[in-house]
Amino acid sequence: EQLAATIVFQTHTSVTFCDAEVDHYMARTSGFYQYQFKKTYPKRDPEAFAGLLAMDFDWELEPPIKLRWRLMARLKMLQRGNDPEYGYAYLCYLHAIASRDNPELANVYAEMALDMLVYGCQKHFPFAENDLLQIAPPRLPDANWMNRRNRKGWSSYWASHKS
């Protein structure tokens, strides 16, 4: 919707890239779209923006998800009360940890996991610290791949969900 609105607006006014990020109530894949934008258009100028508007989109709608981790997340979901949002948060966590060598992508997955826990799940999961051990409070300071925004979000989440 945002891109469609941008295309319409650009016919009547001047539009350009915006580096400021907007938090959605549940940005499940918006971070992945931004990741693809940044990879496709590393130079953020009017020419790149015009190219973006003229582009045929063949981007992935969802980040790639490995079958092995889908199965692990399904098992975790079943173990933890059959909550699909928790299962998806766990799946994103697995991908974030596995993507640490690509911090930008790892942060996309970490943000998706956090969004699912904060906005998708209807309850608090006291076992989350054990399940998400690599980014739980004792190890969060060591997650040097994580950007400041994600680190702040996870710190707030853990602080508000102390067991």
Side-chain angles (χ1 to χ4, degrees):
E1 296 89 6
Q2 292 172 357
L3 186 58
T6 299
I7 292 169
V8 171
F9 291 150
Q10 68 97 22
T11 62
H12 301 291
T13 187
S14 176
V15 291
T16 186
F17 283 109
C18 176
D19 287 327
E21 294 188 29
V22 176
D23 283 324
H24 294 272
Y25 65 94
M26 191 165 155
R28 185 169 156 180
T29 54
S30 66
F32 185 61
Y33 298 150
Q34 287 188 9
Y35 169 76
Q36 291 179 96
F37 280 134
K38 288 176 185 175
K39 283 190 72 153
T40 305
Y41 296 101
K43 186 176 178 189
R44 316 275 297 237
D45 59 15
E47 291 78 28
F49 190 73
L52 174 65
L53 296 177
M55 181 178 164
D56 288 331
F57 287 94
D58 60 353
W59 291 352
E60 297 177 69
L61 297 178
E62 296 271 341
I65 306 288
K66 293 188 177 182
L67 178 61
R68 175 178 172 231
W69 290 325
R70 283 181 197 226
L71 296 173
M72 291 172 62
R74 176 70 57 123
L75 178 61
K76 187 63 69 178
M77 177 189 77
L78 294 172
Q79 290 174 331
R80 301 304 195 197
N82 208 27
D83 187 304
E85 284 78 17
Y86 186 80
Y88 192 78
Y90 184 73
L91 177 65
C92 292
Y93 160 77
L94 292 174
H95 276 72
I97 298 306
S99 301
R100 290 176 291 190
D101 59 332
N102 181 348
E104 194 173 355
L105 184 58
N107 276 285
V108 167
Y109 283 117
E111 183 177 355
M112 289 168 60
L114 182 60
D115 283 347
M116 290 309 295
L117 290 175
V118 171
Y119 302 113
C121 297
Q122 299 299 313
K123 60 183 179 181
H124 166 62
F125 299 96
F127 40 75
E129 281 191 39
N130 289 330
D131 291 348
L132 312 176
L133 191 57
Q134 296 292 320
I135 55 175
R139 293 196 181 165
L140 187 59
D142 299 328
N144 57 4
W145 55 269
M146 191 177 284
N147 65 30
R148 184 182 322 195
R149 183 171 182 237
N150 263 334
R151 188 180 306 276
K152 183 179 177 183
W154 278 102
S155 293
S156 295
Y157 176 78
W158 294 125
S160 67
H161 291 90
K162 287 202 182 277
S163 300

